């Protein structure tokens, strides 16, 4: 399929300096933004709870979100899964248990109000409130006091008398967020109109490990691609491909930063896909550059690159346009993580084409010019050394 009837002769390379300046400014702004504001980490990375529920009647994700909000669960993400007629949803929220800093402080006040209670400590990672009482206490009394602070209680553990006879130790185990989801969705109903199919918990430490491993996977893939490009072509082509990949990753990360969409394992998958797509487009142009270097010997390297970019322009438009059209379909009909993945990929396609032309190619030109200047200096110094004995 032919896009252009006549061969194009657009001077892309002459605009490389303003493009490099714009890219540098945008990349620095995104990096500063990430350092200052950070990503909106999802449950995968920040830790939290995922609950799958299935309703026995038609209902939309927005209606599920409204019910959760009215039931006292405002910070919840609702995603429809499967076909619409299945009425199945994933509810995501931060935290594994109902114990957090705010509720822990209220629970401490409620326990201290019972009298004779001291050393109240909220163990947030494990969802346990520990305290010591001067006298033995009834478990039901402790449970009601903590529940009055808005914390669901799974059990109250009586640990017995402390060493030295300084009091009696107790632990209050907070209920999981899944119980809170059930209570919120069931508020005002005689019997539940849904069933909980699955509950997944991701602790903060596990989330941190997933985040670190995702970042390492991204870095390893980029290093592997750099080695591949350096061996397949020439060393001067490798840095251009690497910098272009870093540029594309930062730009796609900027989408998550600005939109405040959840940054999770799906985002890592999108970044890895963008890296592969970006280097594929770069390698196609690098192949044409290598062919044109042999075909147009004697022409300036920048001109050879410009010819190669124009020769592959039709192919770039076809492949990128076809992929973009499929992603637009996902954007229209997709929701939740599917929408995020499609949007990140669409951003990646646009910046991937741009970086191949205005990041990878200019850096390759700079490295070639630097190598040529170094060779010229060596030749000049060699000639001087050779002429000095004759002058003597």
């Amino acid at each position: 399929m032919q896009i252009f009837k006549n061969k194009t002769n657009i001077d892309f390379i002459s605009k490389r300096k303003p493009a490099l300046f714009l890219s540098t400014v945008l990349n620095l702004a995104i990096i500063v933004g990430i350092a200052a504001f950070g990503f909106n980490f999802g449950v995968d990375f920040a830790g939290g709870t995922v609950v799958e529920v299935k309703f026995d009647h038609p209902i939309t994700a927005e209606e599920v979100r409204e019910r959760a909000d009215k039931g006292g669960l405002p910070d919840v993400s609702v995603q429809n899964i499967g076909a619409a007629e299945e009425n199945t949803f994933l509810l995501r929220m931060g935290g594994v248990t109902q114990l957090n800093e705010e509720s822990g402080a209220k629970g401490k006040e409620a326990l201290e109000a019972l009298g004779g209670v001291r050393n109240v400590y909220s163990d947030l990672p494990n969802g346990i409130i520990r305290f010591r009482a001067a006298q033995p206490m009834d478990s039901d009394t402790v449970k009601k006091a903590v529940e009055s602070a808005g914390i669901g209680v799974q059990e109250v553990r009586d640990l017995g008398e402390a060493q030295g006879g300084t009091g009696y130790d107790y632990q209050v185990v907070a209920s999981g967020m899944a119980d809170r989801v059930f209570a919120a969705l069931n508020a005002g109903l005689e019997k539940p109109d849904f069933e909980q199919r699955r509950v997944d918990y991701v602790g903060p430490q596990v989330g941190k490990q997933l985040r670190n491993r995702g970042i390492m996977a991204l870095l390893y893939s980029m290093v592997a691609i750099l080695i591949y490009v350096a061996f397949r072509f020439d060393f001067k082509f490798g840095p251009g491909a690497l910098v272009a990949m870093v540029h594309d990753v930062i730009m796609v990360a900027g989408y998550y930063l600005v939109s405040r969409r959840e940054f999770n394992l799906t985002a890592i998958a999108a970044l890895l896909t963008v890296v592969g797509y970006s280097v594929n487009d770069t390698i196609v142009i690098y192949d044409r550059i290598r062919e044109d270097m042999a075909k147009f010997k004697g022409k300036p390297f920048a001109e050879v690159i410009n010819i190669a970019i124009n020769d592959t322009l039709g192919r770039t438009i076809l492949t990128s346009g076809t992929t973009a059209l499929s992603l637009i379909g996902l954007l229209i009909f997709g929701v939740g993580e599917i929408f995020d993945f499609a949007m990140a990929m669409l951003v990646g396609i646009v910046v991937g084409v741009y970086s191949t032309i205005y990041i990878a190619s200019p850096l390759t030109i700079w490295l070639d010019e630097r190598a040529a200047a170094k060779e010229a200096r060596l030749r000049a110094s060699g000639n001087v050394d050779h002429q000095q004995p004759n002058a003597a």
Side-chain angles (χ1 to χ4, degrees), residues 77-382:
S77 169
V78 181
Q79 175 187 351
N80 181 274
I81 58 173
E85 57 270 16
E86 292 182 9
N87 302 307
T88 305
F89 302 87
L90 281 182
L91 281 74
R92 304 170 187 266
M93 65 224 77
V96 175
T97 70
Q98 299 182 31
L99 184 64
N100 53 42
E101 290 186 6
E102 182 181 354
S103 62
K106 293 180 179 178
K108 180 180 179 180
E109 293 178 1
L111 288 171
E112 290 176 343
L114 295 176
V117 174
R118 63 183 187 277
N119 300 337
V120 181
Y121 169 68
S122 297
D123 184 359
L124 300 182
N126 294 310
I128 296 174
I129 300 178
R130 310 174 193 273
F131 69 93
R132 180 167 293 175
Q135 299 294 331
M137 302 188 71
D138 180 59
S139 296
D140 289 336
T141 303
V142 173
K143 182 178 180 180
K144 289 179 181 178
V146 175
E147 286 180 339
S148 69
I151 305 172
V153 177
Q154 181 176 333
E155 64 172 319
V156 178
R157 298 172 181 170
D158 185 350
L159 303 182
E161 189 173 3
Q163 291 183 355
T166 57
Y168 298 85
D169 290 334
Y170 293 88
Q171 290 182 349
V172 181
V173 181
S175 299
M177 289 299 294
D179 295 333
R180 189 176 175 188
V181 169
F182 185 87
L185 295 180
N186 199 38
L189 300 178
E190 293 183 1
K191 64 176 183 177
D193 58 352
F194 63 93
E195 61 172 325
Q196 286 188 178
R197 287 188 157 189
R198 175 169 61 94
V199 179
D200 291 332
Y201 295 107
V202 179
Q205 292 301 319
V206 175
K208 186 177 180 180
Q209 290 178 2
L210 289 173
R211 182 171 71 246
N212 293 340
R213 289 179 180 179
I215 293 172
M216 292 308 297
L218 193 61
L219 293 177
Y220 289 151
S221 67
M222 295 172 71
V223 171
I225 290 172
L226 170 65
I227 295 171
Y228 166 74
V229 172
F231 273 98
R232 176 171 175 178
F233 297 97
D234 187 275
F235 180 74
K236 66 184 176 185
F237 288 94
L242 178 64
V243 174
M245 284 188 292
V246 173
H247 167 273
D248 296 346
V249 168
I250 292 175
M251 294 297 285
V252 176
Y255 156 72
Y256 286 98
L257 175 69
V258 174
S259 66
R260 305 311 293 171
R261 305 290 290 189
E262 282 192 359
F263 192 85
N264 47 29
L265 288 174
T266 303
I268 295 293
L271 291 175
L272 287 169
T273 310
V274 166
V275 166
Y277 191 93
S278 172
V279 79
N280 174 68
D281 196 49
T282 303
I283 285 176
V284 168
I285 291 183
Y286 276 0
D287 259 330
R288 184 56 63 92
I289 291 172
R290 187 169 56 180
E291 292 174 9
D292 288 349
M293 284 172 66
K295 190 187 298 184
F296 301 106
K297 287 183 178 180
K299 279 185 177 291
F301 191 51
E303 190 174 339
V304 172
I305 289 182
N306 213 53
I307 293 170
I309 293 172
N310 278 277
D311 287 346
T312 57
L313 186 60
R315 178 260 174 204
T316 300
I317 293 174
L318 276 175
T319 54
S320 301
T322 303
T323 310
L325 284 174
S326 64
L327 292 173
I328 289 172
L330 290 176
L331 288 175
I332 294 173
F333 300 105
V335 294
E337 292 185 357
I338 296 177
F339 178 91
D340 293 342
F341 180 84
M343 192 65 197
M345 278 297 300
L346 190 60
V347 173
I349 288 174
V350 174
V351 299
V353 173
Y354 167 86
S355 66
T356 299
I357 298 173
Y358 288 114
I359 303 295
S361 299
L363 186 56
T364 306
I365 293 172
W366 179 77
L367 289 172
D368 182 73
E369 291 174 346
R370 187 179 178 186
K374 184 178 180 180
E375 186 178 349
R377 285 196 302 269
L378 290 173
R379 286 179 180 177
S381 62

